[in-house]
């Protein structure tokens, strides 16, 4: 079987699994759980095989395109992995195993449906990262919403309906705009670029943008700005960027553990992934134009999220706000627009998925044992559940960027990139802003350590205190082997990335360099001319459009 | 393996790491109370490896010096690459250098990779640190086996211990700023884990968190400094290399020669000049490119940011507040991490970065001022503490301040003096801490000196060894502290002379010490250039390093000389205070009437051999290490300092033109000895005999008389005086009560206004300031922690009400519209018919009228 077929099988396997749960449900919940676990493990195994074939840079071998919609050969259906998506793809497969394992005892109600939805979610996420064309990307992008909507709405906590609909409406509203934006790019390509045929392939569109750059056929800055805003709407909500983040804490708090794990681990990455995949290569001029603004928003989000996390007493909400803070670093890296930043930002997406996904899993385990998420009601748990405390410490340290673990690598690269952007090649007119942004971003690291260590100190250290003492007065048991199995792989990967990050960075290098090359042109022009790009091409987007017609 | 240096460099950190992992895996089930064997064996082996490495290196150095293989005056280093950590190709574009700048070719034309290899290095500085760290760690490990005996977390302790030794040895042997930062944080993590070792104690858990956070503030500066170094120099390596990672010096020389000759070399072969590599240091190319002033600003910024990092790790003002709290950890940890090794990481880092500091005299001044001020501040606090370990903790802060003071002098004499003090301090401070631990062990974990006393008969070994430690710390001839403290004060003293007008007028300040005879043969050594003889390694006008740089602060040499003069006096003052508080603690603990707290149980006794033997070894070291290593009294060279000069960061030409170590300063030694003896004498007078004076002295410094004088109650009592009553009655009789009240009120007001400063003085009396640690913790709580927490709550409020409120409002708009529309859908068919008809009519009307 060639790699592309293997990839297709990997994506479809969870779907098949979800269908297969239907008959299995008759055998009882135990069988359902084991089947779900088997499917996710098989998916993980296949993912490893795919990466094995793929590593380090055989992009072409994983690509495959199928003609779709029969109408000529324009609309195609393509899957494939490259360095940008490969680790997120792998992370989805890995985290789903964790998600299945942490739901083992927590979900007693409508078990087959629950696992079926989880598997559908996995299929959606794998699909998004493997998509090579816009239609497929968008279909999977939206498809991830539906299972999660039901997961939150059915198995969530007391306020689940509100949280689910808010999450759904919020993200749907944004992604519709994104879809319009993406379609406009397709339409532009079909209308303006030589060859003129309709294509949805991301690579072809990017190539067309590159090819048209500097010619009158290129998208005008105004047109790009409008499209950027449309794309931004969907992705920024997904990330989520300040001030569009309010759905996130709510959704996290109400979601079942597996939902939180997957939401934090994978779904939030769709936003930042979207920025790297679409905004930078397809709309380079607008990216260049908006980069300082987005950097400001990102750094405000970093500090704002961290400060709010500092004021939380709900474990889940604290970690949710920490996500707002941490994802700011991803965006900072991406919009530093240099190789260090892009690599750091992309790696940071994976890092955040590992650490925050792990933290949510742990909080779920704590909740199963103590039936509270209130930090003030808990203290000194390290004595009762030392293994849980150990994992909590490791994931916390990863989250606050302790060297030797994964978080450090991403943060360091991102901040280094920001410094390079600010001191060496500042965007004209933004020098001081960029310097302020970089220094503030480094300060965010201090705040990050503060709230996370406060959390650990309050909950795990000090004299023992907890509200219930378990179900029947017996002390809650420490982590079971099943739970260790859910957490240990995450910890292992954390150490792996921390000690030998180059293994993970190497495949990113090629594709990210292409992305960087796309934005390099407006950047160079901007740096050399020190004049607004708009002045060189006076016609606005609308004029451009009408003239061409 | 055929490369002993590589093997040793790997083994030294790997053995403790292996021990830590093994203990972590086997500890809870298999090893339990036997965990210490593994740790002790690993650390001891690591120590032996360090000694071997030092020997190996010394041979190589001697060979290099004799054969002249290395560029002279550049020092000697051995670097070994293990694996590539990250490699982002073409990450850095060399900025366009102004025309006429020749350095472009070497410092990398065009693009550079962000390539971080795991490279271990061996040079004098590293070796010295390795030997010190592993030796102290071995002794502390043996001691801990006795001290921690029976603790439920026994295996956990030794696992953390191994992890710490691994991190610390890596910290001093890595050859890159990123990895330095990595292990800088890693030792911080170990410190966090070990301070909070008894995590059930809220104070311990809080202290661990505080240590981590305060260090994070320092690391904030360190990280910024590293980023600036990257943007300024385009590399973070200490050593030179080729772009492909090749480290062989001969190959690098070849590549440089090729590059200079203008040949086109493949990208893999391009030389990359490390920050402290020979290529850069040979011409002292550490000034950033650009206008002199900009370049001076950048140098200063880098140095100050690095200093902030060092202040965090080495507990200097204003980030010193975590170290005393760190005493909540087990005492062996305090001895190893918070006295001898980890806290010296900041000193090590600044010493390593000497070339950076040499191009920024302003930064040097700041280092010295911070150090001198901290030394005094901490010594003042130590005067009044009653917790034995806290006295020692403040003493550590104070002594680290000494080291900073020396480093900031900005001459090789200063740097080597600082490192020498670091080395000797490690022994006697570890000794003192372990002694305090021994006391604590016997006293049932009581550490308040008011609750025990007169222990000299109960614990004779601890008593004697502690006395040796106290004498060494006080700087009494001929113990270790005497030599190193003399070196520090001597270096500052020399700086004062160097900056005096008559010296700076002359053509380049001549080094004050005679050139050392150590590393290289005399005639071919760059040291010789200071004497005007020998071959000159570089052709550059003879000038002090200071002349090359533009000062940012714009202080004249005269003023700087005066500042250093004050710092010198401050140092003498501190040595007086040091002797005083050291012996105060000593007398309170071991002399006076025997007093044993009930927690100690029936039979308080001397500690077991596993604890007293390390004490004995450390005492011998504390007594002799200065005498054996200084040797300036014999042949005029400090052999320790001379060996240290082999370090590339210290041996480059510009540094060689600063004051070299060597001379033994008899007058300085005399003064400091006088101060130490004075301190000991005063302490003996107050605390050795009958202690009734103490109360008086304390009251005097506590301004107790102010409180007596301005007591409000005394005013109340005055109302009862006969005269007062008589006046009151008289005035009542003539109906002038109002006048009386007015007068008395006015008088009271005047008295209050006059006494307000005094009252204020009472509340911040010298005694109280010292006892409450100058209220710095409270100040930070008030100025930083509370406002940030408040801001956090404010942000949360904004988030919930404003931002989420807006979102919900926007979300509600469609629903409102929908509600309006829904009200139209009432399901009445006639209504719909009516609506249809109306609509048709309107359309018709439009058609007709339009």
């Amino acid at each position: 079987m060639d790699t592309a077929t293997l990839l297709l099988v990997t994506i479809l396997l969870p779907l098949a699994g979800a269908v297969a749960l239907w008959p299995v449900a008759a055998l009882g919940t135990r069988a359902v759980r084991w089947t779900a676990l088997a499917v996710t493990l098989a998916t993980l195994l296949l993912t490893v095989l795919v990466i094995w074939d793929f590593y380090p840079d055989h992009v072409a071998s994983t690509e495959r395109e199928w003609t779709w919609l029969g109408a000529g050969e324009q609309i195609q259906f393509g899957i494939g992995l490259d360095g940008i998506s490969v680790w997120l793809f792998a992370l989805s497969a890995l985290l789903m195993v964790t998600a299945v394992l942490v739901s083992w005892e927590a979900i007693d109600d409508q078990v087959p449906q629950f696992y079926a939805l989880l598997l559908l979610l996995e299929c959606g996420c794998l699909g998004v990262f493997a998509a090579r064309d816009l239609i497929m990307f968008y279909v999977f992008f939206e498809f991830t919403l539906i299972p999660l909507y039901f997961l939150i709405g059915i198995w969530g906590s007391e306020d689940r309906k509100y949280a689910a609909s808010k999450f759904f409406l919020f993200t749907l509203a944004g992604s519709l705009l994104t879809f319009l934006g993406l379609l406009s790019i397709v339409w532009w390509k079909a209308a303006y670029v030589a060859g003129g045929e309709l294509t949805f392939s991301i690579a072809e569109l990017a190539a067309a943008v590159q090819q048209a750059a500097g010619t009158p056929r290129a998208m005008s800055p105004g047109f790009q700005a409008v499209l950027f805003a449309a794309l931004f709407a969907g992705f920024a909500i997904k990330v989520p960027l300040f001030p569009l983040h309010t759905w996130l804490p709510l959704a996290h708090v109400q979601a079942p553990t597996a939902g939180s794990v997957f939401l934090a681990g994978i779904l939030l990455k769709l936003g930042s992934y979207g920025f790297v995949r679409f905004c930078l290569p397809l709309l380079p001029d607008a990216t260049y134009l908006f980069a300082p603004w987005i950097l400001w928003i990102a750094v405000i989000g970093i500090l704002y999220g961290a400060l709010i996390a500092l004021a939380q007493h709900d474990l889940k909400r604290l970690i949710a706000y920490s996500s707002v803070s941490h994802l700011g670093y991803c965006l900072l890296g991406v919009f530093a627009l240099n190789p260090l930043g892009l690599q750091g930002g992309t790696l940071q997406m994976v890092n955040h998925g590992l650490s925050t996904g792990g933290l949510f899993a742990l909080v779920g385990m704590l909740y199963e044992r103590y039936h509270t998420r209130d930090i003030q009601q808990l203290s000194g748990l390290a004595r009762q559940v030392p293994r849980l405390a150990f994992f909590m410490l490791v994931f916390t340290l990863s989250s606050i960027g302790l060297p030797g673990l994964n978080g450090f690598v991403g943060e360091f690269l991102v901040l280094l990139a920001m410094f390079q952007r600010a001191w060496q090649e500042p965007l004209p007119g933004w020098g001081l802003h960029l310097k302020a942004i970089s220094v503030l971003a480094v300060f965010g690291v201090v705040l990050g350590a503060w709230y996370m260590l406060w959390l650990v100190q309050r909950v795990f250290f000090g004299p023992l205190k907890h509200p219930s003492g378990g179900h029947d007065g017996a002390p809650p048991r420490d982590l079971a082997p099943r739970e260790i199995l859910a957490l240990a792989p995450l910890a292992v990967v954390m150490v792996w990335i921390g000690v030998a990050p180059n293994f993970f960075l190497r495949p990113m290098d090629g594709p990210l360099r292409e992305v960087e090359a796309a934005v390099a042109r407006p950047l160079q022009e901007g740096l050399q001319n020190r004049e607004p790009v708009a002045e060189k091409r006076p016609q606005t987007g609308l004029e451009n459009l009408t003239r061409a017609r | 393996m055929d490369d002993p240096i590589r093997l040793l460099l790997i083994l030294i950190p790997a053995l403790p790491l292996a021990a830590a992992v093994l203990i972590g895996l086997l500890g809870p089930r298999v090893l339990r109370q036997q965990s210490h064997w593994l740790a002790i064996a690993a650390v001891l082996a690591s120590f032996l490896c360090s000694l071997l490495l030092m020997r190996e290196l010394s041979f190589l150095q001697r060979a290099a010096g004799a054969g002249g293989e290395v560029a002279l005056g550049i020092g000697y280093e051995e670097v070994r690459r293990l694996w590539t950590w990250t490699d982002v190709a073409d990450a850095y574009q060399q900025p366009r250098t102004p025309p006429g700048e020749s350095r472009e070719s070497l410092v990398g034309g065009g693009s550079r990779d962000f390539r971080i290899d795991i490279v271990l290095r061996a040079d004098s500085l590293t070796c010295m640190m390795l030997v010190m760290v592993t030796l102290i760690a071995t002794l502390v490990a043996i001691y801990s086996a006795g001290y921690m005996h029976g603790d439920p977390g026994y295996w956990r302790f030794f696992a953390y211990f191994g992890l710490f030794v691994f991190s610390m040895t890596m910290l001093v042997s890595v050859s890159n700023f990123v990895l330095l930062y990595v292990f800088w944080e890693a030792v911080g993590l170990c410190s966090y884990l070990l301070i909070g070792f008894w995590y059930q104690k809220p104070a311990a858990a809080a202290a661990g968190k505080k240590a981590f956070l305060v260090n994070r503030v320092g690391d904030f500066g360190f990280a910024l400094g590293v980023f600036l170094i990257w943007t300024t120099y385009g590399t973070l390596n200490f050593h030179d290399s080729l772009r492909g990672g090749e480290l062989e010096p001969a190959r690098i020389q070849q590549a440089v020669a090729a590059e200079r000759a203008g040949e086109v070399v493949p990208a893999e072969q391009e030389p990359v000049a490390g920050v402290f590599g020979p290529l850069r240091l040979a011409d002292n190319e550490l000034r950033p490119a650009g206008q002199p002033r900009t370049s001076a600003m950048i140098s200063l910024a880098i140095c100050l940011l690095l200093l902030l990092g060092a202040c965090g790790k080495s507990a200097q003002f204003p980030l010193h507040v975590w170290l005393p709290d760190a005493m909540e950890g087990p005492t062996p940890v305090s001895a190893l991490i918070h006295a001898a090794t980890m806290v010296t990481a900041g000193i090590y880092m600044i010493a390593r970065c000497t070339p950076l500091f040499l191009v920024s005299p302003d930064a040097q001044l700041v280092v010295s001022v911070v150090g001198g001020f901290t030394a005094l501040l901490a010594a003042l606090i130590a005067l009044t503490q009653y917790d034995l370990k806290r006295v020692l903790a403040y003493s550590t802060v104070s002594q680290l301040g000494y080291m900073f003071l020396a480093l900031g002098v900005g001459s090789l004499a200063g740097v080597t003096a600082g490192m020498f003090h670091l080395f000797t301090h490690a022994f006697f401070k570890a000794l003192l801490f372990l002694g305090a631990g021994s006391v604590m062990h016997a006293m049932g974990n009581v550490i308040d000196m008011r609750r025990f006393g007169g222990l000299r008969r109960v614990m004779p070994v601890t008593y004697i060894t502690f006395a040796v430690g106290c004498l060494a710390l006080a700087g009494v001839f001929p113990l270790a502290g005497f030599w190193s403290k003399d070196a520090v004060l001597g270096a500052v003293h020399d700086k004062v002379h160097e900056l005096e007008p008559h010296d700076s007028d002359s053509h380049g300040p001549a080094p004050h010490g005679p050139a050392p005879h150590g590393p290289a043969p005399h005639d071919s050594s760059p040291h010789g250039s200071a004497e005007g003889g020998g071959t000159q390694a570089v052709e550059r006008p003879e000038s002090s390093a200071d002349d090359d740089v533009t000062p940012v602060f714009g202080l004249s040499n005269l003023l700087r000389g005066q500042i250093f003069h004050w710092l010198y006096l401050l140092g003498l003052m501190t040595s007086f205070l040091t002797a005083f508080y050291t012996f105060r603690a000593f007398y309170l603990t071991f002399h006076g009437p025997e007093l044993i707290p009930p927690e100690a149980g029936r039979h308080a006794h001397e500690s077991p051999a596993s604890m007293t033997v390390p004490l004995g070894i450390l005492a011998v070291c504390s007594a002799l290490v200065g005498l054996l290593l200084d040797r300036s009294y014999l042949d005029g060279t400090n052999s320790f300092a001379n060996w240290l000069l082999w370090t590339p960061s210290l041996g480059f030409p510009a540094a060689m033109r600063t004051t070299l170590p060597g001379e033994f300063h008899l007058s300085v030694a005399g003064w400091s000895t006088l101060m130490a003896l004075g301190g000991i004498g005063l302490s003996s007078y107050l605390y050795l005999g009958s202690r009734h004076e103490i109360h008086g002295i304390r009251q005097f410094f506590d301004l107790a008389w102010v409180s007596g004088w301005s007591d409000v109650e005394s005013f109340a009592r005055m109302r009862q005086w006969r005269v007062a009553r008589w006046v009151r009655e008289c005035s009542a009789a003539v109906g002038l009560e109002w006048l009386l009240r007015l007068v008395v009120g006015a008088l009271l007001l005047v008295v209050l206004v006059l006494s307000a400063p005094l009252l204020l003085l009472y509340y911040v009396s010298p005694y109280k300031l010292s006892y409450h640690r100058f209220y710095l913790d409270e100040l930070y709580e008030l100025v930083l922690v509370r406002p940030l927490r408040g801001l956090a709550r404010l942000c949360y409020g904004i988030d919930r009400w404003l931002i989420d409120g807006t979102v919900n409002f926007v979300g509600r708009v469609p629903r409102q519209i929908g509600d309006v529309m829904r009200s139209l859908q009432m399901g009445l068919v006639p209504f719909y018919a009516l609506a249809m008809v109306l609509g048709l009519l309107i359309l018709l009307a439009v058609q007709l009228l339009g």
Side-chain angles (χ1 to χ4, degrees), chain A residues 8-341:
Chain A
L8 186 69
V9 172
T10 314
I11 299 168
L12 294 180
L13 186 63
L15 190 66
V19 176
L21 282 183
W22 206 269
V24 171
L27 299 173
T29 50
R30 219 178 123 76
V32 169
R33 290 189 178 117
W34 280 103
T35 313
L37 182 63
V39 170
T40 48
L41 279 176
T43 313
L44 183 62
L45 184 72
L46 286 179
T47 309
V48 171
L49 286 179
V50 168
I51 295 173
W52 193 273
D53 269 4
F54 161 88
Y55 197 85
D57 45 15
H58 304 291
V59 190
S61 71
T62 58
E63 269 190 41
R64 164 165 295 190
E65 299 195 338
W66 290 271
T67 304
W68 192 60
L69 277 187
E73 42 192 326
Q74 297 108 327
I75 303 181
Q76 285 178 328
F77 168 84
I79 58 169
L81 288 178
D82 66 1
I84 305 174
S85 55
V86 62
W87 302 121
L88 289 167
F89 186 84
L91 183 67
S92 311
L94 181 64
L95 273 183
M96 190 43 84
V97 178
T98 304
V100 167
L101 284 173
V102 296
S103 313
W104 207 261
E105 285 170 10
I107 303 297
D108 282 335
D109 191 26
Q110 307 178 49
V111 177
Q113 288 88 330
F114 180 83
Y115 282 104
L117 285 171
L118 270 189
L119 291 175
L120 285 182
L121 187 59
E122 181 175 20
C123 173
C125 287
L126 294 177
V128 166
F129 293 125
R132 304 292 289 172
D133 66 275
L134 290 180
I135 298 292
M136 218 173 124
F137 175 83
Y138 186 73
V139 168
F140 280 113
F141 188 76
E142 291 295 326
F143 180 63
T144 57
L145 281 182
I146 299 160
L148 198 63
Y149 172 73
F150 287 118
L151 283 174
I152 297 175
I154 299 175
W155 288 273
S157 331
E158 58 281 355
D159 222 1
R160 53 183 177 265
K161 297 259 163 59
Y162 173 57
S165 41
K166 188 163 189 171
F167 157 74
F168 192 80
L169 290 178
F170 220 129
T171 42
L172 189 68
S175 51
L176 282 176
L177 284 171
T178 302
F179 190 49
L180 285 181
L182 291 175
L183 283 186
S184 310
I185 298 174
V186 171
W187 171 77
W188 163 83
K189 157 77 170 65
Y192 290 94
V193 176
E197 76 276 15
L198 199 60
T199 178
F200 290 96
S201 156
I202 299 165
E204 282 178 32
L205 287 173
V209 169
Q210 281 294 81
Q211 188 197 331
T215 66
R217 297 184 165 279
M219 278 184 268
S220 74
F223 185 54
Q224 282 202 25
V226 173
L227 294 189
F228 190 91
L231 260 59
F232 181 83
F235 295 147
I237 287 174
K238 220 30 173 213
V239 170
L241 272 179
F242 170 86
L244 303 173
H245 62 272
T246 50
W247 62 271
L248 177 74
L250 190 69
H252 268 314
V253 170
Q254 302 301 331
T257 303
S260 288
V261 169
F262 224 67
L263 179 58
I266 306 298
L267 291 176
L268 300 189
K269 308 303 167 314
L270 295 183
S272 40
Y273 175 73
F275 277 118
V276 180
R277 184 62 88 194
F278 298 104
C279 288
L280 268 60
L282 298 184
L283 303 168
D285 293 297
T287 302
Y288 165 74
L289 212 62
F290 286 120
W293 298 94
I294 294 181
L295 289 174
W296 261 123
I297 295 176
V299 82
I300 289 173
I302 288 174
L303 295 178
Y304 182 83
L307 275 173
I308 294 185
L310 206 53
Q312 298 308 315
H313 291 293
D314 182 312
L315 279 167
K316 269 191 160 182
R317 193 173 288 141
L318 192 153
I319 298 170
Y321 276 110
S322 88
S323 290
V324 176
S325 181
H326 283 242
L327 284 162
Y329 286 105
C330 297
L331 269 271
L332 217 56
V334 170
F335 282 92
L337 305 179
N338 51 23
L340 276 179

Side-chain angles (χ1 to χ4, degrees), chain A residues 162 166 245-246 304 307 310 312 317 321 383 400 416 419-420 424 445 453 457 462 498-499 501-502 513, chain B residues 85 87 89 91-92 95 114 182 185 189 199-200 209 212 216 220 224 227 230 789 792 796 799 804 807-808:
Chain A
Y162 173 57
K166 188 163 189 171
H245 62 272
T246 50
Y304 182 83
L307 275 173
L310 206 53
Q312 298 308 315
R317 193 173 288 141
Y321 276 110
R383 210 185 306 178
I400 66 179
L416 198 61
F419 265 72
Q420 200 169 312
Q424 274 219 296
V445 178
L453 288 179
Q457 184 208 343
V499 174
N502 210 34
R513 212 157 280 280
Chain B
W85 195 68
D87 186 4
Y92 178 93
F114 178 74
V182 166
E185 290 247 348
L189 167 72
Y199 55 80
Q200 301 93 333
K209 186 193 66 170
F212 200 97
R216 259 287 155 108
F220 165 69
L224 289 180
F227 296 146
W230 166 253
R789 286 248 176 225
Y796 186 43
D799 201 59
D804 203 30
V807 167
N808 281 345

Side-chain angles (χ1 to χ4, degrees), chain B residues 357-432:
Chain B
F357 280 84
L358 268 183
V359 290
S360 182
D362 297 313
Q364 290 167 9
L365 192 67
V366 176
V367 173
S368 270
V369 169
V370 166
F373 180 72
T374 310
L376 184 68
L377 185 84
L380 284 174
I381 296 174
L383 292 178
T384 58
Q385 302 300 312
Y386 282 108
D387 181 323
L388 178 55
K389 279 179 76 182
R390 285 214 160 56
V391 172
L392 294 177
Y394 279 109
S395 162
T396 305
V397 175
S398 174
Q399 296 301 309
L400 291 168
Y402 259 113
M403 297 170 206
F404 273 84
L405 175 61
L407 290 178
V409 164
S411 65
L412 287 190
V415 177
T416 52
M419 294 313 289
F420 191 30
H421 197 49
L422 182 157
F423 192 72
T424 60
H425 174 259
F427 292 99
F428 57 74
K429 193 48 71 65
L431 169 62
L432 287 171

